[in-house]
């Protein structure tokens, strides 16, 4: 599992995702398509990014014509972000390619193995999401880097 996550986590880290957007811009576009128009703060929370990083991501998508800023219908002082027609078309192309890529990865698996793998991944993703939202981590840095690091040393 760790190997699979590591491969997917780092494979495109420094590359343009697809077409002319970064991986983070691709995630932002996906979030805006799936959840609809929203404020920057909501998008930042969805992407688990700070607001300044989210602003830079959105600025790039606006510059490329994939996202637009509009007055928020509820609060005239706020701005709402929404996908443009060209942004939606790009999302549809990327999504279709990702689905095709996943189909290719799973093609050689027997149907029952494929169904089982899909269910396991769905459950793991749900459990990881719940763990992330609760703030649970692997351990504290103090334990890993501090006290335990000194245990192997002998005192003179």
């Amino acid at each position: 599992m760790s190997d699979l996550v590591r491969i997917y986590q780092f494979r495109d880290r420094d590359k343009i995702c697809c077409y002319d957007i970064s991986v983070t811009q691709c995630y932002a576009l996906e979030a805006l398509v799936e959840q609809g128009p929203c404020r920057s703060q909501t998008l930042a929370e969805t992407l688990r990014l700070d607001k300044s990083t989210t602003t830079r991501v959105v600025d790039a998508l606006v510059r490329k014509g994939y996202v637009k800023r509009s007055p928020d219908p509820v609060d005239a002082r706020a701005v709402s972000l929404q996908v443009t027609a060209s942004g939606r078309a790009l999302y549809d192309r990327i999504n279709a390619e990702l689905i095709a890529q996943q189909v290719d990865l799973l093609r050689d698996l027997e149907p029952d193995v494929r169904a089982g793998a899909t269910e396991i991944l769905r459950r793991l993703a749900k459990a990881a999401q719940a763990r992330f939202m609760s703030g649970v981590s692997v351990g504290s840095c103090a334990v890993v880097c501090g006290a335990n690091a000194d245990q192997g040393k002998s005192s003179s």
Side-chain angles (χ1 to χ4, degrees):
M1 183 68 183
S2 293
D3 290 342
L4 178 64
V5 170
R6 194 171 294 113
I7 288 167
Y8 272 92
Q9 182 178 9
F10 295 115
R11 71 182 175 151
D12 295 326
R13 181 179 51 179
D14 298 322
K15 297 178 183 174
I16 296 300
C17 170
C18 325
Y19 305 93
D20 65 341
I21 64 174
S22 71
V23 173
T24 305
Q25 291 165 7
C26 189
Y27 287 137
L29 189 62
E30 176 184 49
L32 288 169
V33 165
E34 290 182 358
Q35 69 188 32
C38 68
R39 293 182 187 170
S40 185
Q41 182 62 39
T42 302
L43 182 60
E45 291 166 5
T46 300
L47 298 174
R48 296 180 187 89
L49 296 174
D50 62 50
K51 195 163 190 252
S52 65
T53 302
T54 302
T55 298
R56 285 192 300 276
V57 168
V58 170
D59 285 347
L61 290 170
V62 168
R63 218 174 23 257
K64 294 172 184 181
Y66 300 132
V67 170
K68 69 178 180 177
R69 291 182 171 102
S70 305
D72 189 88
V74 177
D75 182 353
R77 298 168 297 169
V79 172
S80 180
L81 306 170
Q82 68 184 92
V83 176
T84 63
S86 63
R88 178 61 196 222
L90 177 62
Y91 167 79
D92 289 343
R93 281 193 308 268
I94 291 169
N95 196 43
E97 288 180 15
L98 288 172
I99 290 170
Q101 187 180 75
Q102 291 167 3
V103 167
D104 283 345
L105 287 172
L106 300 172
R107 182 178 323 246
D108 294 333
L109 299 177
E110 297 296 322
D112 57 332
V113 172
R114 188 172 36 242
T118 301
E119 181 61 22
I120 288 169
L121 290 173
R122 185 177 293 117
R123 287 184 186 191
L124 287 172
K126 185 176 179 180
Q129 173 72 13
R131 210 172 154 86
F132 178 83
M133 296 307 286
S134 72
V136 173
S137 185
V138 173
S140 75
C141 197
V143 173
V144 175
C145 302
N148 285 350
D150 293 332
Q151 286 180 354
K153 296 178 182 176
S154 61
S155 54
S156 318

